[in-house]
Amino acid sequence: MTANKWVYSFGNGAADGEGSMKNLLGGKGAGLAEMSRLGLPVPPGFTITTEVCTHYYANAQTYPADLKPAVETAVAAIGKTVGAGFGDAKNPLLVSVRSGARVSMPGMMDTVLNLGLNTATTEGLAKLTGDARFAYDSYRRFIHMYSDVVLGVDHAGFEAIMDDARDTKGVELDTELDAEDLKIIAEQFKARVQEELGRPFPEDVNEQLWGAVGAVFGSWNSHRAITYRKLNNFPEEWGTAVTVQAMVFGNRGETSATGVAFTRDPATGEKIFYGEFLINAQGEDVVAGIRTPQPISKAVRERQGGRRPSMEEAMPQAYAELKAIGDRLEAHHRDMQDVEFTVQEGKLYMLQARAGKRTAEAALRIAIDMEKEGLIDRDTALLRVDPAALDQLLHPTLDPDAPRTQIAAGLGASPGAATGEAVFTAEEAEKIAAEGRAVILVRTETSPEDIHGMHAAKGILTARGGMTSHAAVVARGMGRPCVSGAGMMKIDVTKGEMFVGSTTVKRGDIITIDGAAGLVFLGAVKMRQPELTGDFATLMEWADVARRLKVRANADTETDAATARKFGAEGIGLCRTEHMFFEPDRILAVRQMILAEEKEAREAALAKLLPMQCGDFEAIFAAMAGYPVTIRLLDPPLHEFLPQKEEEIAEVAAAAGTSPAKLRARAIALHEANPMLGHRGCRLGITYPEIYEMQARAIFEAALAVAARGVKLAPVEIMIPLVGFKSELDFLKSRIDAVAVGIRGCPAYSVGTMIELPRAALRAGEIAVTAEFFSFGTNDLTQTTLGVSRDDAAGFLGEYVGKGLIPRDPFVSIDQDGVGELIRIASERGRMTRKNLKLGICGEHGGDPASIKFCHDSGLDYVSCSPFRVPVARLAAAQAALRK
C-alpha cells in the first residue's frame, strides 16, 4: 500500500502539485504550484494537504505519524534553495504560514509572517542585513501576529503599546520609529504575552512552526469559519490546507513594497489593472486596513483624486513586470486573477494567484467581455456567474434627483445603496436586524469576528481600509453595499457615536450609504429600482437560449405581474387569491361571508366580492398578455380572515347586522388546533362550494373582458389546493365545469391541482385522470413530508445543519432524498396516466439554484418564484441544462 503524500513542495520553477489540485492543496497551494510551474518568481515553500486536516479531526486532533519528518525535509529544502537555515542564528530562514481551503474563506486563520524569529535570530538578521530597524520591525510584527492568531492574545493590547510608543516619540507613523524603539516594543510585546498567558513567548522555531500549523487546522472549526461555511453551504469535510513559504520582505525600505492586484476591477469588471500597495510594509498592512494604501495604476489614482504616487509611478519597473504577469495569468486561467505580491529591494515576488472575488456586476461584465475577447465560450460565460449573486444587481440605488445631506466620503468598496440605523458592533447589528429593523454596521475597520454582524446588516461603513480590506472583500462576497476608508470619521464604540466634522451620528440614527460612489449621507435617501439592461440583458438572452425549464413568477397583484414580466417571467405559476381578500375594500364582505350561517347569506356576500375578484384577474391577465396564469383558489382556513381586536369585532358585527358576541362565538367555532392541516384548501371548497364557484366565475368573466379588449390571452389554469383524493378533485372540477357551461363563450381553461400532500404524490397516477397539470407546492409538501412546521422550524433546523445532520434547511433548498423522491414518483406516475401532463413547482424553492437543478433533472416543465428571483431562476435553469 502506497503511503499518503502529506506535503507538496513548490518553487524554483518546479512543483509537486498543480493548479487543478485545489481540493487537496487548497486554492492558495494550488495557485502557488501552478505559478511555480509557469516559471514565475515564487518564493519556495510547501503545502500540507487538506487530507491532514481531515485526519487531524478524525483522530482526536493528532497528526499522521509520518507528517513531521516530511515537514522537516520540506523546510530543509526551502533553506537549501534560499541559502539559509531554520533557526540558524547567523543566517536565519524565515517563513510565512497561511491557511488555504479550496475556496477563499474570510473566517479562516489570518496569516503569520516572519516565523522563525527569536532573540538570537533577530540579532543575526540585523547583522546579516546591516539593518537593525528592519530586523526588529519584523520581530515585533511576528510577535503581534503570532500572539493574536496562534496564542489567542487580544491584539488590542499590542495596539495600545504601539500607540504609546508613537505618542512618546511624537510621531504618527510606525515607519517613523527607529530600531531601538522597535526593540523595546518587541520586549514589551513579549512581556504582554507572559502576563496574559503565564508563559513566555516561544523561542524555539519548531515550536513556533507547529503552533502555527495547529492554529490553521484549529481555525477550520472556529466560530467564524463555521458561520461562513453555513452562510455559503460549504461542507465541513472539505478541510483546509497549510502553506509554508520562505519570507520575502516588503518592509526593507523605500525600494520595497507589498500589495494586492486584480487583473480587472473586482467591483465593476472594467478591464483595468486594479489594486493597492504600500511602500515599506508587509502584506497584512494592506488587507487589515491598518494603513490606507495607494492605487496600483496611475489611471485609478487619477480617477480617485489621490495625491500619493501609484505603483506605476513610484516603481515603474516592478509595476510593468507585475502587469505582464497578471496578463499572463489571466490568459492562462481564462479568468480574472487576484494576486498578492511583494517587492523586496526592487525585485518582484508572487505570493498568491487565484480567481478573484467579484461583485455580481463585475462577474457579469467579465463573463460577457471575456466571451467577446475570445477567452471563453458562451457556455463558460453562463457558468461563470453565480445565479444567487444576481440578487446583488436587483438592489436599489440612490435616486440621482433625491435630496441628500452628505457627511462623509470614502471608497466605493461594494456597489448598491442601503439605508438603516447606525450600529457600532456586530452584536448590535445581529440583535437589531433580528427585530426586523434595517441596520448599517459602522466600524473603524472590520475583522473576521464581525462576519455575523456584516451578514445581518444592510450595509457596511468603515473609517479605515481600502478596496482589498476585509470589509470590502467580505461585503462584495455577501452582496452588501460597503463604503471603506472614510478617514474623516471618528468612532466611539463605547458611547455608540460617530463624529464627522461638526456632525454627530448616534446609535440608532438613520444613515444612507452609496457603495458605488463611496458616499455617506445623513438620514434616508430615496432609492431607485434597478433595470435589466446591458450586460445583464445579454446574459439573460444567452440563458434563455440554453435553458429548457420555463420560468414563471408567483404574483398576486397587477404590480407583481408587471414586475415579473419586466424580469422575464414566462407566466404566473401561482396567483394566491386569498391575498386579494385582505384588501381593505373587500375584507368586510369576506367576513360577512364567513359569518353567514345560511348558503343564501354567503352567496349575497360573495356577490359583493365577485366584481372585485373580476377586477383583480382582469388586471393580472392584461399584465401577462398571452402568458399563462395559474390561479389557486382560496386556500387558508377561514379564521385567518376574522378580526382579533375588539374595535374591529364591533365594526364587523355592525356591518354584518349581528352582535359582537355572536361574531366572537363564530370565531371560536372556526378555531382549529392545527389549522395548517385543518379546514383549508379544497376542503373549504367542498364544504362551501359557492366560494370556488364565485372565484371560477370571476376568472372566466375577467378572461372574457380582457379578450374583448383585444388583449392576447393564454388558456387559464385553475388550481385546486391541498387535494389528497381524486374524489375531491372530481367534485370541485365538476362545479367549475358547471360554472363554465353557464357562461356564454367561456374561454379555454384547464383544471389542475397542487401536490402538497404525500398521499397526493403517491396516488398521482389516478389524480392525473382528472388533473390536467400538477404544481408541486413544495412549502407544504416539505412540511407534510417531514412533519415539521416551517413557522417553528427555525428554532431547531439550524442546529441540524450545524451538527451535520442535514446539509441545508429543507425549506430553503429541496430535500432531494425525501421530498424530491415524492416529486419524482408523482411526476412519473402522473405522466404514465397523462403523457402531456404539465409539471412545475411554485414553492419558495422555485428561486433556489440547487432546487432548480433538481427540477431540471427531474423533467419538470417550469419553476415559479418571486418576481425578483426570476433572473436567478433563468440563469440557474440555463446552468442546469449546460451541466446536464
Side-chain angles (χ1 to χ4, degrees):
M1 180 178 176
T2 305
N4 283 352
K5 183 175 175 63
W6 306 116
V7 174
Y8 285 69
S9 294
F10 59 82
N12 205 23
D16 295 339
E18 59 185 15
S20 63
M21 299 171 70
K22 288 183 181 179
N23 293 359
L24 183 67
L25 303 180
K28 198 178 304 290
L32 287 166
E34 190 71 7
M35 283 198 294
S36 295
R37 284 173 170 261
L38 291 172
L40 300 182
V42 175
F46 61 88
T47 299
I48 301 173
T49 71
T50 57
E51 291 178 347
V52 176
C53 186
T54 303
H55 180 284
Y56 181 79
Y57 282 107
N59 294 274
Q61 299 185 17
T62 60
Y63 300 120
D66 50 347
L67 176 64
K68 188 174 181 180
V71 168
E72 289 173 350
T73 300
V75 170
I78 297 175
K80 184 177 180 181
T81 301
V82 301
F86 195 49
D88 184 335
K90 293 182 179 180
N91 186 16
L93 168 66
L94 305 185
V95 298
S96 63
V97 178
R98 292 177 167 90
S99 62
R102 66 176 70 177
V103 293
S104 177
M105 289 181 56
M108 292 302 297
M109 189 193 90
D110 297 327
T111 298
V112 173
L113 302 178
N114 311 325
L115 191 145
L117 283 175
N118 55 26
T119 304
T121 57
T122 303
E123 291 175 2
L125 184 64
K127 291 176 182 177
L128 181 70
T129 61
D131 189 345
R133 190 202 177 281
F134 155 68
Y136 284 101
D137 182 49
S138 300
Y139 192 25
R140 65 92 185 171
R141 289 172 180 273
F142 169 57
I143 298 168
H144 186 165
M145 281 185 278
Y146 193 92
S147 299
D148 179 19
V149 303
V150 177
L151 302 180
V153 179
D154 185 18
H155 70 89
F158 300 109
E159 293 289 355
I161 292 170
M162 291 298 296
D163 289 342
D164 288 344
R166 285 189 296 265
D167 291 345
T168 299
K169 189 149 189 176
V171 298
E172 291 186 9
L173 301 176
D174 298 347
T175 50
E176 296 175 281
L177 298 173
D178 62 25
E180 193 59 33
D181 298 325
L182 295 167
K183 186 174 184 179
I184 292 169
I185 288 168
E187 291 304 314
Q188 291 175 327
F189 279 7
K190 289 194 286 187
R192 169 76 180 166
V193 173
Q194 176 74 52
E195 178 185 349
E196 188 81 17
L197 301 180
R199 64 179 189 272
F201 186 83
E203 287 278 304
D204 185 291
V205 295
N206 287 296
E207 180 186 346
Q208 293 173 0
L209 177 60
W210 286 103
V213 170
V216 172
F217 291 140
S219 73
W220 179 249
N221 272 345
S222 67
H223 173 71
R224 66 192 196 190
I226 291 170
T227 297
Y228 192 81
R229 288 204 298 273
K230 284 181 181 178
L231 294 177
N232 292 277
N233 302 303
F234 296 153
E236 182 181 350
E237 59 269 20
W238 276 5
T240 182
V242 182
T243 293
V244 179
Q245 190 174 21
M247 281 296 305
V248 286
F249 300 95
N251 59 333
R252 288 298 306 269
E254 295 303 305
T255 61
S256 301
T258 187
V260 177
F262 297 86
T263 55
R264 304 191 187 215
D265 186 334
T268 68
E270 180 184 2
K271 190 173 182 180
I272 185 172
F273 200 50
Y274 197 92
E276 297 168 327
F277 83 117
L278 281 170
I279 292 174
N280 196 15
Q282 290 200 313
E284 290 305 292
D285 295 343
V286 178
V287 298
I290 293 167
R291 289 163 56 190
T292 299
Q294 298 150 244
I296 291 280
S297 66
K298 179 181 177 182
V300 173
R301 178 189 66 75
E302 291 175 342
R303 190 180 298 178
Q304 294 177 349
R307 294 183 179 179
R308 292 184 296 165
S310 65
M311 182 179 178
E312 185 176 3
E313 295 161 302
M315 297 180 167
Q317 185 174 339
Y319 171 84
E321 186 181 359
L322 177 66
K323 175 72 166 60
I325 288 174
D327 291 343
R328 183 180 174 190
L329 286 169
E330 181 174 281
H332 178 74
H333 292 287
R334 299 186 305 138
D335 198 2
M336 185 265 274
Q337 294 295 293
D338 165 5
V339 300
E340 292 181 13
F341 64 91
T342 286
V343 179
Q344 178 177 309
E345 297 178 296
K347 180 170 173 53
L348 176 70
Y349 294 93
M350 303 303 296
L351 305 180
Q352 177 169 283
R354 60 185 175 185
K357 283 191 174 184
R358 62 207 77 178
T359 63
E361 178 187 351
L364 199 57
R365 180 170 179 177
I366 290 168
I368 300 295
D369 285 354
M370 285 190 168
E371 191 273 347
K372 291 176 181 176
E373 294 163 19
L375 271 178
I376 58 177
D377 59 23
R378 191 164 291 185
D379 289 353
T380 302
L382 283 168
L383 292 169
R384 280 279 171 86
V385 182
D386 177 7
L390 292 183
D391 270 344
Q392 297 176 27
L393 298 183
L394 308 179
H395 294 169
T397 53
L398 296 184
D399 183 334
D401 300 322
R404 65 198 70 186
T405 303
Q406 183 180 330
I407 58 172
L411 299 174
S414 185
T419 294
E421 299 177 36
V423 298
F424 298 93
T425 69
E427 290 69 30
E428 283 179 319
E430 190 171 46
K431 179 177 181 291
I432 294 174
E435 297 170 2
R437 290 146 59 190
V439 299
I440 304 294
L441 179 61
V442 183
R443 302 285 282 158
T444 300
E445 60 201 0
T446 63
S447 71
E449 284 82 2
D450 293 321
I451 193 167
H452 58 294
M454 297 173 77
H455 182 70
K458 296 294 184 185
I460 298 148
L461 169 62
T462 68
R464 291 209 294 252
M467 294 292 290
T468 50
S469 65
H470 178 268
V473 172
V474 174
R476 286 196 293 267
M478 288 182 171
R480 301 290 188 274
C482 176
V483 175
S484 65
M488 66 291 297
M489 300 189 320
K490 304 298 179 187
I491 297 168
D492 188 327
V493 175
T494 305
K495 290 184 178 179
E497 293 179 342
M498 173 179 81
F499 308 97
V500 188
S502 60
T503 302
T504 300
V505 175
K506 297 183 178 180
R507 181 187 291 113
D509 288 351
I510 300 297
I511 60 173
T512 297
I513 63 171
D514 183 341
L519 301 177
V520 185
F521 305 95
L522 195 61
V525 179
K526 186 179 178 183
M527 304 282 182
R528 185 174 65 176
Q529 296 302 317
E531 296 180 9
L532 300 185
T533 56
D535 291 338
F536 201 126
T538 299
L539 191 80
M540 290 296 102
E541 289 170 9
W542 293 355
D544 292 342
V545 171
R547 66 185 165 89
R548 178 190 62 78
L549 273 177
K550 298 291 185 183
V551 177
R552 300 190 188 185
N554 302 337
D556 311 327
T557 67
E558 178 184 11
T559 301
D560 288 347
T563 301
R565 281 295 305 126
K566 182 178 76 171
F567 287 135
E570 299 162 296
I572 293 176
L574 175 62
C575 177
R576 293 159 286 213
T577 55
E578 61 271 10
H579 288 187
M580 304 166 181
F581 282 12
F582 283 101
E583 293 294 320
D585 63 345
R586 62 194 73 180
I587 187 65
L588 194 60
V590 173
R591 288 166 171 170
Q592 289 173 336
M593 180 267 294
I594 294 170
L595 290 170
E597 296 182 358
E598 303 297 330
K599 180 180 179 182
E600 292 76 14
R602 276 195 299 277
E603 288 178 337
L606 289 168
K608 298 178 185 177
L609 290 171
L610 177 63
M612 300 176 188
Q613 284 263 273
C614 254
D616 294 330
F617 297 141
E618 277 189 49
I620 289 172
F621 290 149
M624 296 313 292
Y627 288 94
V629 177
T630 303
I631 298 174
R632 183 181 72 184
L633 302 185
L634 190 66
D635 183 31
L638 294 181
H639 81 272
E640 289 191 9
F641 297 98
L642 292 181
Q644 305 298 321
K645 298 177 181 178
E646 285 300 321
E647 58 269 25
E648 290 181 340
I649 290 174
E651 178 189 357
V652 173
T658 187
S659 69
K662 189 173 182 181
L663 178 56
R664 278 191 290 270
R666 180 66 171 156
I668 291 170
L670 289 171
H671 175 75
E672 295 178 293
N674 190 352
M676 294 311 294
L677 294 178
H679 194 193
R680 55 166 286 217
C682 67
R683 301 158 193 172
L684 275 178
I686 290 167
T687 307
Y688 306 118
E690 54 273 15
I691 297 176
Y692 278 15
E693 289 169 354
M694 180 278 289
Q695 291 192 295
R697 179 172 295 279
I699 291 168
F700 296 144
E701 291 182 359
L704 286 173
V706 169
R709 302 200 318 250
V711 177
K712 188 178 179 182
L713 192 70
V716 177
E717 299 174 355
I718 299 175
M719 186 157 65
I720 311 295
L722 213 72
V723 163
F725 297 85
K726 175 178 179 292
S727 56
E728 294 171 319
L729 185 59
D730 290 341
F731 176 86
L732 291 169
K733 185 176 184 300
S734 69
R735 305 302 287 254
I736 293 168
D737 290 343
V739 172
V741 169
I743 294 178
R744 184 178 179 182
C746 185
Y749 70 95
S750 60
V751 176
T753 185
M754 289 186 83
I755 303 294
E756 305 168 86
L757 301 172
R759 189 184 197 280
L762 294 172
R763 305 303 299 167
E766 64 183 32
I767 291 174
V769 171
T770 304
E772 295 169 88
F773 64 86
F774 286 170
S775 180
F776 294 97
T778 52
N779 299 340
D780 276 341
L781 185 58
T782 298
Q783 289 194 111
T784 55
T785 300
L786 301 184
V788 172
S789 165
R790 64 175 168 165
D791 295 326
D792 303 312
F796 60 88
L797 278 185
E799 287 288 316
Y800 273 55
V801 175
K803 293 176 178 175
L805 303 180
I806 56 176
R808 289 193 68 187
D809 183 334
F811 291 103
V812 174
S813 194
I814 284 177
D815 161 34
Q816 297 188 18
D817 295 335
V819 176
E821 181 69 9
L822 287 174
I823 291 173
R824 285 188 289 265
I825 288 171
S827 301
E828 181 183 336
R829 293 180 182 179
R831 281 182 170 161
M832 284 179 68
T833 298
R834 187 184 291 267
K835 188 176 180 180
N836 62 345
L837 182 70
K838 187 183 296 183
L839 302 172
I841 71 165
C842 60
E844 291 302 311
H845 301 96
D848 169 60
S851 301
I852 291 168
K853 183 178 186 304
F854 166 81
C855 293
H856 174 91
D857 294 345
S858 300
L860 272 61
D861 297 303
Y862 70 87
V863 297
S864 189
C865 57
S866 70
F868 279 89
R869 297 286 289 177
V870 166
V872 174
R874 289 164 70 188
L875 180 56
Q879 292 184 352
L882 293 173
R883 290 190 170 116
K884 183 74 172 179

